[in-house]
Amino acid sequence: MATVKLFGAFGDVAGWTEQEIDASTLGELKAMLGANHPRLGNRLDHPSTMVILNNTIVPHSLRTDSSPISDEDEIAFGPPVSGG
Amino acid sequence: MIQVTTDPINPGDLLAAFTVDRNQAGAIASFTGLVRSTTDGAAVSRLTLQAYPGFTEKVMADIEAEARGRFDVQDIIAVHRWGEIEVGHPIIFVAVASAHRRPAFEAVDFLMDQFKVRAPFWKKEDGPGGPRWVEPRLADHDDLSRWIPKPL
């Protein structure tokens, strides 16, 4: 199962910050997250949302629902960062 | 050198240590960022910064490398605190050593503008209305545009 992390307000909306989730594509993962938390689901598709796969930012232009996710992957979602 | 820590930052100690054995440097410029007691007129009692350990250091190290490539500097240190931080306490300390003062000033300015917008920290402010997550400020993005070369 992939490790999924939620940062900033996303963690508050979902009520957790890290979970192991069984999903084979980015689209499947987003659908599972959105099914439990519709407000979170709406935000995950937003261009400004950060998607970080194995410590590398995935730009909005390269995110597709068919992007594969493997068991070893760590994928994080967060609102745009607000700086220190 | 990048360090991301939940421990308190002591800017004086960091600057003193950074200054030792700098025979080739003619200048050290530094910046310390503190937790303000108000944001846009609203009182702030405490700041909580969330980091993504591993990834946050990686992005900050990328920014440090960009600064080293862009300015004629000899050394860079940036220490960023995260977790719960009280008003008046340091959040970040940056220092740059160089042969002459101008690159040191400019590199510190560049590093802070880049860290403010790109370093992965999510900020929550506690105030009279309760805690709230802070969204990015447009002004911070305007600051970034200062570093994009203008056409001749």
Side-chain angles (χ1 to χ4, degrees), chain A residues 5-12 17 43 48 50 52-57 74-84, chain B residues 47 49-55 58-59 80 91 115-124 133-137 140-141:
Chain A
K5 295 186 174 188
L6 300 178
F7 286 92
F10 290 5
D12 284 1
T17 56
R43 294 289 300 271
S48 71
M50 291 184 77
I52 304 149
L53 178 64
N54 301 324
N55 277 349
T56 301
I57 291 174
E74 178 173 301
I75 185 162
F77 300 91
V81 295
S82 41
Chain B
L47 187 72
L49 281 182
Q50 193 179 34
Y52 184 171
F55 178 64
K58 182 187 166 201
V59 173
H80 207 306
I91 305 172
F115 288 150
K116 279 295 284 183
V117 171
R118 293 168 56 196
F121 291 96
W122 291 269
K123 182 156 67 176
K124 186 191 252 181
W133 289 101
V134 179
E135 295 289 322
R137 297 167 64 238
D140 290 335
H141 286 267

Side-chain angles (χ1 to χ4, degrees), chain A residues 22-50:
Chain A
D22 198 6
S24 58
T25 64
L26 180 59
E28 193 182 328
L29 175 60
K30 287 191 300 185
M32 291 169 74
L33 296 174
N36 292 328
H37 307 283
R39 275 178 56 211
L40 180 61
N42 292 338
R43 294 289 300 271
L44 294 183
D45 271 329
H46 197 274
S48 71
T49 289
M50 291 184 77

Side-chain angles (χ1 to χ4, degrees), chain B residues 15-108:
Chain B
L15 184 58
F18 189 73
T19 307
V20 172
D21 292 333
R22 292 285 175 201
N23 295 342
Q24 302 301 313
I28 291 175
S30 75
F31 173 86
T32 303
L34 308 174
V35 179
R36 250 193 327 269
S37 61
T38 57
T39 297
D40 299 329
V44 173
S45 58
R46 186 175 50 190
L47 187 72
T48 303
L49 281 182
Q50 193 179 34
Y52 184 171
F55 178 64
T56 298
E57 287 93 333
K58 182 187 166 201
V59 173
M60 291 183 71
D62 288 346
I63 294 169
E64 178 192 350
E66 287 173 32
R68 285 178 184 270
R70 184 167 184 144
F71 304 98
D72 187 12
V73 301
Q74 296 170 349
D75 201 5
I76 291 173
I77 183 174
V79 182
H80 207 306
R81 189 176 172 192
W82 65 290
E84 292 185 0
I85 313 172
E86 302 295 326
V87 166
H89 286 230
I91 305 172
I92 186 168
F93 172 81
V94 175
V96 175
S98 58
H100 302 282
R101 70 181 183 282
R102 189 70 59 205
F105 281 132
E106 290 181 347
V108 168

